[in-house]
Amino acid sequence: MSTSAISLSIDEARCLALRRQGFGDEDLLPEGKEGVARTIERLGYVQIDTISVVARAHHQTLRARRPDYDPSMLHDLLAVDRRVFEYWGHAASYLPISDYRFYMPQMRRSPSSDRGKQWVEENRGVMDHVLRRIEQEGPLASKDFARTDGRKGGTWWDWKPAKMALELLLTQGRLMVAERRNFQRLYDLTERLLPGHADTQVPTDAEVRRFFVRRALNAYGVATAKEIREHIGRMDLQALRTTIDEMQEEGDIRPVTVKGRSDLVLFAEPRTLETEPFGDGRRCRLLCPFDNLIILRDRAQWLFDFEYTLECYVPAKKRVWGYFVFPILLGERLIGRLDPKADRKAKTLHVRSLAFEPWVTPGDDVLEPLAEEIARFARFNGCSSVAFDTIRPAGHKRAVKRLVGAALRDAAR
């Protein structure tokens, strides 16, 4: 089978990546929960995060792609329809239930570390107690288990034994998340939650490797071996290279080159190579720091020429752009950054910093779609007004405030 490389321009690679990420084709998916479910299935995972200066990351990722998204849809897909489940994807994630079987080998190997194995051996009584209570009482949260070691609660590495047991039992696949209440997990027995239509045939290691290669390429369009590895399945690098070679030989994937980027060795599934113009007009979207499009920072650099670092873990004095900065996607380019914080009591979205990339000229063609997106973003986060601090370059605050105010008034009519 020929493995000659397919050549794309950087614009074609970018358009392909955006389409595979669910941008530009909103009208092709059903409205409501079904559209949300299919979006998660395309992405392969949606990352969960605890930071709550605005609505949490998983809701922001879906909102950016689904205009009618409401958090109740994700709740129902997990707790009622069982179309998704919580497990370890790129990190803690919502995953398609159709992919469940490919996580079973990981469940069977858990815990994989010597420290984890030692903990299980020393705390089998705790594990059995947790399972027995859930079996008898139904779904329980961590707070339903009192400490039994006489210690007070501490930081994340000092969880009470029952919390550790719950997490290990989840990782082992013996428990699943039944639902979240106020962001707190409720755990129940897998046998009570796993839907009958879920495939539970355990795949071989080779099948798992091929699955995660396809998963990444389906979500990214084109990707390097490093990006494939970092998408979800962090497989052994040598095993990944062997799998890629085999899939190329069989014609399942093809090598791709990007003009002007001889340093990149990329791969794609032939069936996903759609290189027509993106066609998303001037639609603007704010992308949370854990959005699938920009979560791999090196990828954002080569694909969008956009250098991005999440600075919430950086001391305040050393931050350049802000605490929880959202890259701004306009059409097919990342044009700037916005650092938001929602004051839910006052119903005010504070834009602590708005900065455009040096090459952007913020005229009406930029400011109008951006203002519409800021207004949508404010409403989604329970805010009816927007306050601005710093805008860079200076001189645009008055225009931005006027346009955002008009967009909010139009939405309220």
Side-chain angles (χ1 to χ4, degrees):
M1 181 70 68
S2 172
T3 57
S4 58
I6 299 166
S7 179
L8 301 177
S9 69
I10 188 63
D11 289 340
E12 289 173 331
R14 190 182 300 127
C15 289
L16 173 60
L18 286 164
R19 286 192 178 280
R20 297 314 304 170
Q21 279 285 299
F23 296 108
D25 62 354
E26 293 94 336
D27 295 338
L28 301 180
L29 293 178
E31 295 181 350
K33 287 190 296 182
E34 183 61 29
V36 174
R38 293 193 194 181
T39 298
I40 297 171
E41 287 164 0
R42 170 175 284 193
L43 295 174
Y45 76 92
V46 171
Q47 184 169 335
I48 302 167
D49 192 73
T50 60
I51 295 174
S52 59
V53 290
V54 290
R56 298 185 195 274
H58 39 286
H59 298 311
Q60 302 291 358
T61 297
L62 293 168
R63 183 207 72 87
R65 292 161 174 79
R66 304 300 309 153
D68 66 340
Y69 175 73
D70 184 274
S72 64
M73 297 175 184
L74 185 57
H75 173 273
D76 287 354
L77 288 172
L78 174 72
V80 180
D81 305 318
R82 307 297 180 198
R83 288 284 296 276
V84 300
F85 71 106
E86 281 196 37
Y87 198 65
W88 298 103
H90 182 83
S93 302
Y94 290 102
L95 304 162
I97 199 68
S98 56
D99 292 354
Y100 182 84
R101 66 183 291 249
F102 294 101
Y103 293 88
M104 292 176 68
Q106 179 179 340
M107 294 172 184
R108 293 187 171 192
R109 290 193 295 267
S110 178
S112 57
S113 69
D114 291 339
R115 183 178 179 182
K117 292 175 182 176
Q118 181 181 352
W119 194 94
V120 169
E121 286 298 319
E122 294 173 352
N123 292 272
R124 289 195 178 277
V126 178
M127 304 273 281
D128 292 342
H129 171 73
V130 167
L131 281 172
R132 187 164 55 252
R133 278 198 59 190
I134 291 175
E135 181 180 11
Q136 295 171 352
E137 301 175 39
L140 295 175
S142 173
K143 65 183 178 60
D144 295 316
F145 294 87
R147 291 199 73 120
T148 59
D149 59 4
R151 300 170 64 188
K152 295 182 179 180
T155 48
W156 65 267
W157 61 83
D158 188 31
W159 285 337
K160 59 189 178 184
K163 173 65 175 176
M164 182 68 79
L166 288 166
E167 293 299 319
L168 279 169
L169 289 165
L170 176 70
T171 305
Q172 291 176 342
R174 300 168 72 184
L175 295 179
M176 295 182 74
V177 177
E179 64 174 309
R180 281 184 181 258
R181 293 179 187 168
N182 298 321
F183 198 61
Q184 299 300 307
R185 285 171 169 169
L186 268 73
Y187 303 81
D188 201 356
L189 301 179
T190 295
E191 62 201 59
R192 293 203 286 235
L193 295 182
L194 191 63
H197 59 79
D199 188 346
T200 55
Q201 182 177 355
V202 181
T204 66
D205 289 344
E207 288 175 324
V208 170
R209 289 193 294 270
R210 287 173 177 249
F211 166 78
F212 281 119
V213 170
R214 288 192 298 269
R215 254 282 164 238
L217 294 179
N218 184 66
Y220 291 150
V222 293
T224 66
K226 181 174 182 287
E227 291 164 358
I228 292 171
R229 184 171 184 261
E230 292 180 350
H231 178 244
I232 297 177
R234 292 178 177 270
M235 67 189 84
D236 174 78
L237 190 57
Q238 185 56 52
L240 171 61
R241 288 172 176 162
T242 299
T243 301
I244 288 174
D245 288 345
E246 292 172 351
M247 295 179 74
Q248 282 189 91
E249 183 64 28
E250 295 164 12
D252 291 339
I253 63 175
R254 295 277 299 278
V256 176
T257 61
V258 172
K259 297 169 187 175
R261 293 303 306 264
S262 58
D263 57 316
L264 295 174
V265 180
L266 300 157
F267 304 93
E269 288 186 291
R271 66 178 182 83
T272 65
L273 286 172
E274 309 158 357
T275 58
E276 69 268 19
F278 181 46
D280 199 28
R282 302 300 290 174
R283 174 69 186 267
C284 187
R285 309 151 197 270
L286 295 174
L287 306 178
C288 84
F290 300 103
D291 190 286
N292 300 51
L293 183 66
I294 50 91
I295 188 63
L296 301 184
R297 312 308 189 199
D298 290 345
R299 179 176 172 82
Q301 177 74 61
W302 75 257
L303 191 59
F304 293 98
D305 192 22
F306 190 82
E307 185 176 348
Y308 177 66
T309 301
L310 177 59
E311 297 181 302
C312 61
Y313 306 112
V314 175
K317 291 182 179 180
K318 294 185 178 181
R319 292 177 194 143
V320 176
W321 304 109
Y323 178 77
F324 201 61
V325 171
F326 281 55
I328 303 168
L329 177 67
L330 179 61
E332 61 186 62
R333 298 302 303 273
L334 294 173
I335 66 158
R337 309 148 201 267
L338 184 147
D339 183 26
K341 182 177 181 180
D343 183 341
R344 296 171 178 88
K345 289 185 178 180
K347 295 187 177 180
T348 299
L349 178 71
H350 292 275
V351 177
R352 296 181 287 193
S353 173
L354 168 60
F356 295 98
E357 293 296 277
W359 57 269
V360 175
T361 302
D364 289 345
D365 60 334
V366 171
L367 297 182
E368 288 180 0
L370 173 60
E372 292 171 0
E373 170 65 352
I374 292 174
R376 286 191 295 266
F377 185 83
R379 294 195 304 273
F380 183 79
N381 288 280
C383 298
S384 56
S385 65
V386 181
F388 292 88
D389 293 341
T390 302
I391 296 181
R392 291 180 277 178
H396 300 287
K397 182 181 286 190
R398 182 175 296 179
V400 172
K401 289 177 67 175
R402 174 176 55 82
L403 290 167
V404 171
L408 286 169
R409 287 191 296 275
D410 288 345
R413 290 173 184 166

